[in-house]
Amino acid sequence: MGAFAEIDGAVSDGDVIAHFGDAFREQRRLAEGAAFVPLGDRVVIEVAGPERLSWLDSITSQALGGLAPGESTELLILDPQGRVEHAAGVLDDGASTWLLADAGDAEALAGWLTRMKFRAQASVGIRPDLVPIGFLDGGAIASVVATAAAAPSGAPLIWADPWQRVSAGGHQYAEVAAHPAADYAWRVALLTTEAADALAVSADRDALAGLLAAEALRVAAWRPRWATEVDERSLPHESDWIRSAVHLNKGCYRGQETVAKVHNLGHPPRRLAALQLDGSDAVLPEAGASVFAGDEEVGHLTSVARHFEDGPIALAILSRRAPVGDLVVRADGLEIAASQQVIVPADAGATADIPRLTRLSRRPSAPDPRAQV
């Protein structure tokens, strides 16, 4: 993270800065739109060429053929059984399509795209010279970061996370009157390394936040990501990712049959839930900790955070048959009570309001001419 890691008080692990000395205060400032986060756990991939959008449209879950310059969305790449293999935010500037991927997935994603080019007029390359900076829109810091964003084709490269609302062609499974993502106006600006270093030097100390702050706000918004909520079994339905990353009415792509089948028939095998953890023992379990209903193990934690208002919170992937009541997390020899809020219902998709093909009725046989008088 260049000059950010050299700031006094920065606590980092490689390229990832956890905090700058006061994670709770940083989180409050970030939520107010008064701070920004260097996202050392994200990597930028550039897809260039005249056929880039039509090609990406044909191989991913998202409808990208008509993506306008400056418009943001996200995509998933699924295996033939509909399981999530890769995920990325998407921004087009009229000349290139910019993909924002989790660092652990970026190289594999770029490699897969390169192998799938065939004769498409498109090129794929990782851009280590671009630094992602995250912030919430609408606050005082937005203009500061936006001014520093790279603009290779004239328009600043700022990705707007589509999770804030249901995207065109998407569908929300969470049955809530007010979704916690409604205020999650998350943005990621892409800065050159020079601009990022200059921002680190010039920024007020109060404007700096670490990844712990960003993750707490993400978990509170029920926002899934590849690095945490995805494993070898993950279907997009299980984490409500149909909401923002899947277009249900687009053309064919790998895994589409499973997406349509699970969405139409419902009952995905697992479901994402939000947990409010008992913080009385001051123990924050780690991702991967087992979740129990009584003596039965029903799932595991995928993301864990300490929220400045809500206290210890988590996302968990549970068996579809897990009860909807209170649960227990077992970690470090302790049992931590967990109050559950259902994100994806057990019957998700079963009552989806989507158009269905009318079954063809069996036509009556033509009358036998020999029977006519």
Side-chain angles (χ1 to χ4, degrees):
M1 275 282 108
F4 286 109
E6 299 173 3
I7 294 175
D8 185 40
V11 176
S12 62
D13 181 9
D15 290 331
V16 176
I17 299 175
H19 60 83
F20 289 91
D22 191 340
F24 276 154
R25 186 171 187 277
E26 293 166 22
Q27 192 182 142
R28 290 190 188 94
R29 299 280 292 171
L30 185 64
E32 294 168 354
F36 62 84
V37 182
L39 298 174
D41 62 340
R42 267 69 158 195
V43 172
V44 180
I45 300 171
E46 180 183 9
V47 182
E51 296 180 346
R52 65 188 185 282
L53 288 174
S54 59
W55 170 61
L56 287 171
D57 182 275
S58 69
I59 60 175
T60 73
S61 64
Q62 192 55 268
L64 299 172
L67 191 68
E71 188 176 359
S72 298
T73 185
E74 69 173 326
L75 60 79
L76 302 176
I77 292 174
L78 310 177
D79 71 8
Q81 288 73 45
R83 301 184 184 95
V84 178
E85 288 191 334
H86 309 287
V90 184
L91 170 68
D92 195 85
D93 67 358
S96 292
T97 301
W98 305 89
L99 305 182
L100 184 65
D102 284 337
D105 185 39
E107 186 173 346
L109 172 57
W112 188 87
L113 291 172
T114 299
R115 292 192 298 274
M116 292 298 293
K117 279 195 313 177
F118 301 112
R119 295 187 179 182
Q121 296 182 53
S123 62
V124 179
I126 293 178
R127 292 292 301 270
D129 57 315
L130 293 176
V131 179
I133 302 291
F135 61 99
L136 283 175
D137 198 19
I141 205 66
S143 60
V144 175
V145 179
T147 301
S153 298
L157 299 182
I158 303 175
W159 177 68
D161 190 344
W163 184 252
Q164 191 174 7
R165 58 186 59 87
V166 181
S167 298
H171 186 90
Q172 177 178 301
Y173 292 146
E175 298 173 348
V176 291
H179 198 287
D183 297 324
Y184 187 66
W186 187 244
R187 305 290 184 265
V188 178
L190 308 183
L191 279 61
T192 64
T193 51
E194 294 81 3
D197 287 344
L199 183 64
V201 172
S202 64
D204 189 294
R205 182 62 179 264
D206 287 341
L208 300 173
L211 194 63
L212 288 177
E215 283 294 277
L217 299 188
R218 177 187 69 83
V219 173
W222 302 350
R223 211 278 186 245
R225 59 178 291 194
W226 180 90
T228 50
E229 276 63 58
V230 172
D231 59 25
E232 69 281 354
R233 298 168 52 197
S234 295
L235 298 173
H237 318 69
E238 296 175 336
S239 53
D240 213 5
W241 229 339
I242 303 291
R243 170 187 173 89
S244 60
V246 176
H247 196 293
L248 292 168
N249 302 316
K250 62 165 286 184
C252 294
Y253 58 92
R254 191 172 70 161
Q256 183 193 34
E257 183 177 353
T258 298
V259 168
K261 180 179 179 181
V262 175
H263 183 62
N264 280 284
L265 300 180
H267 307 292
R270 302 185 300 177
R271 60 180 183 84
L272 193 67
L275 302 182
Q276 180 75 51
L277 305 177
D278 178 9
S280 60
D281 289 315
V283 174
L284 189 68
E286 295 183 354
S290 297
V291 180
F292 285 79
D295 293 328
E296 181 183 2
E297 185 173 353
V298 294
H300 66 276
L301 303 184
T302 58
S303 296
V304 186
R306 289 191 187 276
H307 193 270
F308 73 103
E309 290 182 332
D310 299 333
I313 57 175
L315 296 176
I317 192 74
L318 306 176
S319 165
R320 178 171 61 85
R321 295 180 175 83
V324 298
D326 291 345
L327 302 169
V328 171
V329 176
R330 293 182 181 174
D332 299 325
L334 296 175
E335 292 194 348
I336 303 169
S339 176
Q340 176 188 177
Q341 185 168 6
V342 174
I343 298 176
V344 177
D347 61 351
T351 58
D353 183 17
I354 60 171
R356 286 175 168 77
L357 294 176
T358 303
R359 291 183 179 273
L360 296 177
S361 58
R362 184 173 297 175
R363 295 180 179 177
S365 302
D368 187 344
R370 294 173 296 179
Q372 296 179 357
V373 179

